[in-house]
Amino acid sequence: MSRLYVARNPRVAARSLDGEMMIMSGRDSTLFTLNKTATILWQSADGTTPLDEIVEHRICQEFEVEPAEALHDAETLARELASHEIIQISEEPIPQPNPAAGESR
Amino acid sequence: MPELAAEVERLNLIIAIGGMPVRVNTTDPAFLDILQDRYSGFLGSAERAEIEFDVDVTVPVYPVPDIGVRVTQRLGRWSLQAGDFLAEWEPASRTGRIRQTANPYSIDAVLRIVHTLVLAQQGGFLAHSASAIRNGKAFLFAGVSGAGKTTISRLAPPDVTLLTDEISYVRKQDSGYIAYGTPFTGELAKLGENVSAPLAALYLLAQGSENRIDPIPPGEAARSLLANLLFFAEDEELVQSMFHSAFEFVSRVPVSRLTFVPDSRVWELIG
């Protein structure tokens, strides 16, 4: 089974404020507020850590959830975030041009 | 030998909003009269304008195409386009050109857009909000159409100086923010006063059964401010600047919800 890699899109603006992660698309100025799971996914999306490892080490540690179910939900979430161009997804590691790009200030 | 063409007189005036003088050049005396009337109170006399626009006044074409507003940048030159105007502006040379008919609305839209572009690079913004000065401090009252911007402006007591009932002008300065009066009006149809003051608070308007001020969480403050900012440009860098400016603003300026009944007692809570 192929692994999925996720990377933050450096072309969006992101800020964490009082525990809330907000992201604005640079393309069309749409504002997104991420829930807790999406925030973990966003913060872990470094392009090199596979999604299943993010789920195992970050999401399952945070929530009481079965790993298989959590991975299924995380893949759905990742594809949704990718559809809004908040993150990129690939079956190969995603090189990041600037490691700091896209991180919240 | 007689001259074949008479020299066309070049007319100009300075429109100074938010402390930024913009020179408008035209050869059309009637259009100049329109501008003098429209921007009364905001006409300056600066020798050196920060921006200079040549306006080509064109013949009306009907119907005006409804294409929305497009603001794009290419190679350092901004292009501003709507059904009733076409404009270009080059920040490096501080010059631009506007093609429009002799009306005050098109140049008004161009000025709003250009001010948002300039302010976005400086941490400031234009916002859908009324604003006013009381006791030397400025207050913003933000909300969508119908939230009460015009109502709270109309209820302002005599010691309050109204900056605008529709679009507020906020400039970042050192550790704080300054609110300026604007000629951009809403239902009140009354130009704001051309004065400024340090910004003390942003109130998010809500109409209710009593007058009260409630704190709101920082995330909601940022979201609400972002929802009320005027921004037109299709430019990722500027969108990011605006986004971060909004967060910077809510970290420095108190943001609260102002619930009010429509009578003048609400002003007992302000200032």
Side-chain angles (χ1 to χ4, degrees):
Chain A
M1 195 178 98
S2 59
R3 304 179 97 177
L4 202 62
Y5 293 84
V6 290
R8 292 183 291 270
N9 183 349
R11 298 164 74 181
V12 302
R15 282 258 187 166
S16 176
L17 189 59
D18 213 25
E20 272 192 272
M21 176 62 74
M22 278 176 268
I23 291 177
M24 181 170 269
S25 161
R27 186 189 54 171
D28 59 9
S29 306
T30 307
L31 181 68
F32 300 91
T33 302
L34 303 189
N35 63 21
K36 209 166 176 180
T37 311
T39 299
I40 292 172
L41 185 59
W42 163 265
Q43 290 171 332
S44 309
D46 58 10
T48 58
T49 309
L51 184 60
D52 57 290
E53 285 187 20
I54 295 172
V55 169
E56 183 185 348
H57 298 302
R58 297 290 312 278
I59 294 175
C60 288
Q61 299 291 320
E62 184 74 23
F63 307 99
E64 286 186 16
V65 60
E66 289 293 320
E69 183 186 348
L71 182 58
H72 176 266
D73 290 349
E75 283 182 357
T76 303
L77 177 61
R79 293 187 196 286
E80 187 184 343
L81 294 176
S83 73
H84 293 295
E85 299 185 14
I86 291 173
I87 63 170
Q88 302 159 274
I89 56 177
S90 170
E91 293 182 356
E92 303 289 334
I94 305 165
Q96 292 289 278
N98 174 4
E103 286 182 0
S104 60
R105 292 192 198 174
Chain B
M1 183 176 162
E3 290 188 25
L4 294 177
E7 188 174 328
V8 178
E9 188 181 6
R10 199 166 186 244
L11 309 164
N12 69 77
L13 53 66
I14 298 277
I15 302 170
I17 303 167
M20 187 171 84
V22 176
R23 188 190 308 280
V24 179
N25 301 313
T26 178
T27 57
D28 187 327
F31 182 59
L32 194 76
D33 288 344
I34 290 173
L35 296 183
Q36 283 174 331
D37 183 50
R38 169 67 184 89
Y39 296 105
S40 169
F42 289 85
L43 299 175
S45 57
E47 288 292 316
R48 185 173 182 278
E50 289 190 27
I51 297 173
E52 184 153 352
F53 276 110
D54 291 331
V55 180
D56 299 327
V57 177
T58 59
V59 177
V61 176
Y62 297 103
V64 174
D66 183 13
I67 59 170
V69 178
R70 283 211 73 193
V71 181
T72 54
Q73 188 207 170
R74 189 166 180 273
L75 302 174
R77 178 174 285 269
W78 286 96
S79 169
L80 292 56
Q81 192 173 1
D84 60 330
F85 65 79
L86 184 62
E88 284 192 335
W89 171 52
E90 188 180 63
S93 66
R94 300 166 181 266
T95 59
R97 180 171 290 276
I98 305 168
R99 280 176 58 81
Q100 63 158 93
T101 60
N103 76 82
Y105 312 109
S106 303
I107 192 165
D108 213 66
V110 172
L111 289 176
R112 290 182 202 202
I113 293 167
V114 168
H115 278 278
T116 64
L117 296 175
V118 171
L119 288 171
Q121 293 173 324
Q122 301 173 349
F125 52 79
L126 297 185
H128 287 289
S129 78
S131 47
I133 298 174
R134 191 176 215 187
N135 299 326
K137 295 180 290 187
F139 302 90
L140 260 61
F141 306 92
V144 295
S145 182
K149 299 191 293 290
T150 302
T151 304
I152 202 154
S153 302
R154 193 177 281 131
L155 294 171
D159 66 310
V160 170
T161 302
L162 194 62
L163 297 174
T164 174
D165 73 324
E166 181 68 14
I167 294 177
S168 291
Y169 195 113
V170 176
R171 197 181 268 276
K172 191 178 178 195
Q173 192 173 78
D174 300 328
S175 60
Y177 293 84
I178 307 290
Y180 289 79
T182 78
F184 307 131
T185 64
E187 287 177 37
L188 208 58
K190 180 177 179 290
L191 272 60
E193 295 292 325
N194 191 6
V195 293
S196 63
L199 188 52
L202 163 63
Y203 295 113
L204 306 175
L205 292 176
Q207 299 200 30
S209 57
E210 60 177 336
N211 294 325
R212 67 170 198 271
I213 293 174
D214 298 305
I216 61 169
E220 185 182 342
R223 260 195 308 277
S224 300
L225 176 59
L226 282 164
N228 283 292
L229 295 185
L230 270 77
F231 195 67
F232 309 91
E234 299 165 29
D235 185 276
E236 290 178 354
E237 200 174 312
L238 274 193
V239 168
Q240 294 200 13
S241 291
M242 288 293 294
F243 179 81
H244 292 300
S245 293
F247 282 83
E248 183 83 7
F249 180 91
V250 301
S251 73
R252 295 184 183 208
V253 176
V255 183
S256 311
R257 181 169 313 288
L258 173 61
T259 304
F260 73 107
V261 290
D263 71 45
S264 59
R265 286 172 298 178
V266 63
W267 279 94
E268 293 170 7
L269 301 176
I270 312 297

